[in-house]
Amino acid sequence: MTDDTIFARIIRREIPATIVYEDDDVLGFKDIAPQAPVHVLFIPKNEAIPTLDDVRPEQAHLIGKLALAAAHYARSEGFAEDGYRIVMNCREDGGQTVFHIHLHLLAGAPLGRFGTPG
């Protein structure tokens, strides 16, 4: 991986993170500025893809792996039955701040509606 974002540095263990999930392809860690009681980011470990818009068809399986990792984590932590939200932001207007694709898992409280411009 040639990516030098903060997420790549977390993957390489150059900076600390509270890692809560890891397999061969995905790393999950707690967000440092949580937007819900549970806020975990899931990132691909082996491919540096800046935005969702940059995912090529042959990389589509990575999005599924991120979603399955988030669902596994939700079940293992016991909040899947109460519900959770997964979100992927794309580019600045979509709220993306780190340009290494990632999926947000939010849970732990009623999340209400979303989609209203802020």
Side-chain angles (χ1 to χ4, degrees):
M1 178 178 294
T2 60
D3 185 24
D4 199 35
T5 66
I6 191 169
F7 292 171
R9 294 181 67 209
I10 289 171
I11 291 167
R12 294 190 303 261
R13 307 305 202 265
E14 294 173 0
I15 58 175
T18 304
I19 296 171
V20 298
Y21 178 90
E22 185 168 14
D23 64 25
D24 290 342
D25 300 306
V26 176
L27 187 70
F29 53 93
K30 292 185 178 182
D31 193 298
I32 61 169
Q35 303 298 305
V38 176
H39 189 169
V40 176
L41 304 176
F42 291 86
I43 62 174
K45 291 171 44 177
N46 304 311
E47 298 202 41
I49 305 167
T51 75
L52 184 60
D53 198 47
D54 296 308
V55 175
R56 296 183 315 270
E58 63 271 17
Q59 296 170 312
H61 67 282
L62 293 172
I63 306 307
K65 287 183 178 189
L66 296 176
L68 290 173
H72 172 79
Y73 181 75
R75 288 189 305 274
S76 71
E77 293 299 304
F79 55 80
E81 284 193 30
D82 290 336
Y84 57 95
R85 178 177 294 159
I86 62 171
V87 176
M88 290 186 82
N89 301 323
C90 186
R91 303 195 194 281
E92 292 88 353
D93 282 0
Q96 186 176 5
T97 58
V98 178
F99 290 87
H100 180 130
I101 63 166
H102 55 285
L103 181 148
H104 297 256
L105 171 98
L106 303 156
L111 297 173
R113 297 176 48 121
F114 81 100
T116 306

